[in-house]
Amino acid sequence: MTDDPNAASASDTVAATPAPEPLRFDTDRGAWRARAIAAALVVLLAGWMGSGYVLPSEEAAEGAPTRAEAVPVTVAVRPSTAEPVRLFLAAEGQARPERTVQVPAETSGTVAEVRVAKGEDVEAGAVIAVIDAAQRVAELRRAQADEARTQREFDNATTLLGRGAGTVDRVAQAEAALASARAALAAAEEQIASTEIVAPFAGRIEGLDARVGEFVQAGAAVATLVDATPLTVEIRVPQQALASLEVGLPAEVAFITGQTREGTLSFLGTAADAETRTFLGEVSVPNPGGLIPAGISAEVRIPTGLRVAHLVSPAILSLGDDGGLGIKTLREGDVVAFDPIEIVRAESGGLWVTGLPDQATIVTVGQGFVTAGERVTPRAEGELLAETGAGTPPEAAPDPAAPGAMEGIPPAADAQEAPDAAAPAVPEPAAPEMSEAPAADPETITRTVAIVPAEKAAPAETEAAPATMPRPVRVAVAQARLGARGYDVGPATGQENPRTRLAVARYQEAEGLPKSGELDDATLQRLETAPAAPAEIAVLQEVLDELGYDPGGVDGVLGPGTQAALRDFQSDAGLEPTGTPDLATGAAIVRSVQERDQ
């Protein structure tokens, strides 16, 4: 304390002491300005929704002092141990039959009989159709008679030669005639046999062009026979994966019909496609009974080796300064580090990634509020979520009605009761111009969202506000609320960017919304009416403590201590002491902070 009559009282010492180099924005004026603009937008939101409750009658003095010392952000962490995971080459392909053939007619003639039906399974040698053989039977009989006659002539010539009455030339002529007759007989017999069109192998009749009474030419196809036992699934192998494959590897094949089979990589091409630079691969799949039809799509997974990796949720991924994916972890001294990662396998339970230490402490909630090199206050993920029942990462979100949820934690928006009729009505004026937004320090963006949770507004206001609220304001609020839930959106600027779209897509997937990556009305409404996250409650506790209302610690839990502090503040502000952070209370807190800093 000093003797200066303008010095602050002991209770205001913290608020009056200038912060040493606050928030690391002194070396990046562009980033500070973006955060300041975003802060002004959210304060504007509070002013628009709360009217006279938020904006003070006089402008805040320039150079108002900030907090003396930033309290380390509380984050949820989870230990993770790398473990071996089998990697697979995943490819899409199409099932091809083992062989397909057009069965031709071997002789011309009229179809006298068709013995199979289209779609019927037949065995090898089964008769498909029969051509009328009446003319061929007559030719066969003539050939048989010629063969008998020439046989007798040959026998007679041989006998006469033995008696000395014949000649060798006559015997030779008779023998030639006999050979010709025998050839004609064989041809006639073959013509009779070719009147039956038979299946060359077992398969299924996929096409049948023969009709009784129709004339067919020799060589014309009368049926299409398909052998689908086994099936061959053709895939395209990228050149990067070629070295990890070899013929004989097992393969898991999932057909679009829902059936799965175990197959074997039976062929791997050595010449790349000129356009795609991929290689042909064939997987042979047993198909007893031909139950799986040929021609359908299939997904193939072929094991390519083992990697040591961590299983993580997609929701905890962050973007680095260079746009690369990474995960925020803790190092010695609870200091945040950003580890670039590589996704080596994706499955329904999460992503397998490499790039982290074998033993890593992963930040799972609150990573959007911290940067590499920053010291934080870690809390075990299970412990923090069990206390709050809120702010759970998307992959493990508990049922809001599950046992163990603490009293006082706001339920989902659709479970909220209407506010007390005695609470001060909040008017809904038209949104002011952006230039009227008061100046705010870079923390206001998260502080305001924490203090004025949208779910506490009256139902009519909650539904009406988005229709007239300026979009930059809604985007800024959405960015802040996403960050409070562990999605890495960076500074809440009110402007959409690739980082925001990535975070929005992950949030939409976790909430069961259409995954577009865009802040559409449904996504904005879900965020604006979401229950307060632990990070938001922690900010509320910090501000109450700064104003002289002891919440019993900054732990992100809306427990009895925080509710008591809220009731004390509400009583002093002339509001109904409900102990809940409704819109009017939030507006009064914001006004108190602004008045204090003037």
Side-chain angles (χ1 to χ4, degrees), residues 535-597:
E536 296 171 310
I537 297 174
V539 173
L540 173 61
Q541 292 168 329
E542 291 180 15
V543 177
L544 285 171
D545 187 58
E546 292 175 7
L547 294 175
Y549 299 90
D550 183 12
V554 178
D555 57 4
V557 179
L558 191 62
T562 303
Q563 292 175 338
L566 274 172
R567 284 193 291 269
D568 291 342
F569 174 83
Q570 289 167 333
S571 296
D572 292 345
L575 302 174
E576 182 180 1
T578 62
T580 58
D582 54 31
L583 185 62
T585 302
I589 292 176
V590 172
R591 185 174 65 243
S592 297
V593 172
Q594 292 173 332
E595 290 174 350
R596 182 203 65 181
D597 292 339

Side-chain angles (χ1 to χ4, degrees), residues 91-106:
E92 294 185 356
Q94 189 172 13
R96 303 289 187 190
E98 176 70 9
R99 48 186 171 173
T100 301
V101 68
Q102 302 288 331
V103 182
E106 296 183 5

Side-chain angles (χ1 to χ4, degrees), residues 373-531:
E374 182 176 350
R375 188 182 301 276
V376 297
T377 301
R379 296 285 299 278
E381 180 184 66
E383 174 188 346
L384 182 60
L385 299 181
E387 291 177 357
T388 62
T392 308
E395 73 275 15
D399 185 345
M406 292 189 61
E407 292 185 352
I409 297 300
D414 56 3
Q416 296 282 338
E417 295 184 0
D420 193 334
V426 181
E428 184 178 322
E433 296 294 327
M434 288 303 186
S435 60
E436 298 178 16
D441 68 274
E443 287 186 327
T444 306
I445 182 71
T446 53
R447 297 161 72 90
T448 305
V449 174
I451 295 169
V452 191
E455 75 273 10
K456 287 300 181 180
E461 295 167 343
T462 302
E463 296 175 1
T468 54
M469 188 187 305
R471 181 168 177 82
V473 175
R474 298 188 75 190
V475 171
V477 172
Q479 289 171 323
R481 303 219 81 189
L482 283 169
R485 281 149 184 77
Y487 296 91
D488 185 9
V489 293
T493 63
Q495 300 295 325
E496 297 183 62
N497 52 56
R499 178 182 283 188
T500 298
R501 283 190 285 273
L502 179 60
V504 169
R506 292 171 180 159
Y507 175 78
Q508 290 169 330
E509 183 177 20
E511 292 292 314
L513 298 170
K515 187 178 176 183
S516 64
E518 302 295 332
L519 282 169
D520 50 35
D521 285 341
T523 305
L524 288 168
Q525 175 109 12
R526 182 72 61 88
L527 282 166
E528 290 161 352
T529 59

Side-chain angles (χ1 to χ4, degrees), residues 252-426:
E252 179 183 319
V253 183
F255 294 95
I256 197 170
T257 55
Q259 299 158 298
T260 59
R261 292 288 188 275
E262 296 295 328
T264 303
L265 183 63
S266 57
F267 174 79
L268 193 59
T270 55
D273 182 271
E275 295 182 357
T276 64
R277 296 298 177 187
T278 57
F279 295 81
L280 174 64
E282 293 182 355
V283 177
S284 181
V285 182
N287 188 24
L291 298 179
I292 301 176
I296 63 175
S297 300
E299 293 183 357
V300 178
R301 293 206 318 161
I302 304 175
T304 58
L306 293 175
R307 292 283 294 276
V308 177
H310 292 261
L311 180 63
V312 301
S313 164
I316 70 173
L317 301 186
S318 303
L319 286 177
D321 295 336
D322 59 354
L325 286 176
I327 292 177
K328 291 175 181 176
T329 59
L330 292 190
R331 296 293 196 266
E332 185 178 356
D334 297 333
V335 175
V336 177
F338 179 84
D339 294 309
I341 56 96
E342 175 188 358
I343 300 174
V344 297
R345 177 177 166 184
E347 57 185 39
S348 59
L351 302 176
W352 290 94
V353 302
T354 60
L356 303 180
D358 290 344
Q359 299 289 335
T361 301
I362 299 175
V363 180
T364 58
V365 177
Q367 68 270 32
F369 287 118
V370 296
T371 57
E374 182 176 350
R375 188 182 301 276
V376 297
T377 301
R379 296 285 299 278
E381 180 184 66
E383 174 188 346
L384 182 60
L385 299 181
E387 291 177 357
T388 62
T392 308
E395 73 275 15
D399 185 345
M406 292 189 61
E407 292 185 352
I409 297 300
D414 56 3
Q416 296 282 338
E417 295 184 0
D420 193 334
V426 181

